[in-house]
Amino acid sequence: MSAMTSALMPANLLKVWESGAPSSSAMRGLLLLGLACPQATADELMQTRIGHRDAQLLSLRETLFGPHLACLLDCPTCGQPIELDFAVDDVRTQHAAPDDVCEIEADGGTLRFRLPCSADLLALEGQGNVAHAERWLLSRCWLPAPGDNATATPTPMAVAPPDWREDQVQAAVEAMALRDPQAEVLLDVVCPACRAPSSHLFDIVGHLWRELDHWARGMLRQVHAIAARYGWSEAHILAMGQARRRAYLDLIGYAG
Ligand SMILES: [Zn+2]
């Protein structure tokens, strides 16, 4: 059995669901990435850039629940719900390479920074309420002047993000989004009720987690129904193939 197949066995999916249930979005994203990349080390998962993480999560979603996505948004103008159906492929785009560096020109120098990863998002959460989350993240991702040697002349590159002007912070955030577009997928929709256009961030972590939660609760109901009738252990029932589990559910008249 390949590493991928065993990672996606019901018992393992339930383990991930259970550990992520009380966790933040960043931690859930990391747990899901572990399912998508069972061979990766903990450190590799932590360092995976967010666009790359989300590309992996789209593939995981396709493997677990198929290629069609459905989600419900609220129209910001009239408040009516908007139903959206699209394919996983519709929200696939480019993501940054692991060692990609962003640069923006500023006052005759260059400000350099890498792209954020799960380690950064978790560290950000660890800070509690950060007043300027973007500036804080940039401080972590900031790469001081390259070629750190005695001949390097001091330039504005030596200015750390806490001292960047607001327009520099905004330019940096835009440069990040351009370099790693998979990390920030926008759904452009037109409300069928009021015709107002709007843009919505597509959050693959939140979306996939809700689906995993729905699946897990359904699976536990099945385990409960079989265990209550036959007295078999959870591990035993989870290890059955889906067809055999379904057959027992049919025998006991379980319709769920
Ligand atoms: Zn509307």
Side-chain angles (χ1 to χ4, degrees), residues 75 77-78 191 193-194:
C75 171
T77 304
C78 72
C191 173
C194 74

Side-chain angles (χ1 to χ4, degrees), residues 74-82 190-198:
D74 286 328
C75 171
T77 304
C78 72
Q80 288 295 308
I82 305 173
V190 173
C191 173
C194 74
R195 311 306 303 167
S198 54

Side-chain angles (χ1 to χ4, degrees), residues 58-218:
L58 285 175
S59 298
L60 175 67
R61 198 286 174 179
E62 205 164 6
T63 305
L64 288 176
F65 303 118
H68 296 290
L69 288 157
C71 57
L72 208 57
L73 309 166
D74 286 328
C75 171
T77 304
C78 72
Q80 288 295 308
I82 305 173
E83 280 177 42
L84 275 191
D85 280 294
F86 50 94
V88 167
D89 279 344
D90 293 340
V91 285
R92 279 192 204 280
T93 177
Q94 300 293 310
H95 65 76
D99 48 4
D100 268 2
V101 168
C102 288
E103 294 185 339
I104 57 168
E105 296 306 315
D107 302 336
T110 306
L111 301 172
R112 302 171 76 246
F113 42 94
R114 60 176 178 78
L115 292 155
C117 57
S118 288
D120 300 313
L121 299 187
L122 289 168
L124 176 63
E125 287 172 356
Q127 295 298 304
N129 273 335
V130 177
H132 304 285
E134 287 170 340
R135 199 178 279 269
W136 191 90
L137 262 184
L138 281 168
S139 298
R140 269 185 70 96
C141 298
W142 178 53
L143 303 167
D148 189 15
N149 58 52
T151 59
T153 47
T155 72
M157 287 183 280
V159 178
D163 298 322
W164 291 3
R165 295 191 316 265
E166 191 53 32
D167 62 301
Q168 291 172 329
V169 170
Q170 285 316 310
V173 168
E174 280 166 28
M176 276 184 175
L178 277 175
R179 182 58 68 92
D180 202 17
Q182 189 70 74
E184 195 176 307
V185 171
L186 289 175
L187 303 173
D188 291 317
V189 299
V190 173
C191 173
C194 74
R195 311 306 303 167
S198 54
S199 265
H200 305 257
L201 202 61
F202 176 65
D203 170 22
I204 180 60
V205 173
H207 188 92
L208 184 49
W209 194 268
R210 279 190 298 278
E211 291 178 317
L212 181 67
D213 185 66
H214 180 79
W215 171 88
R217 290 172 194 280

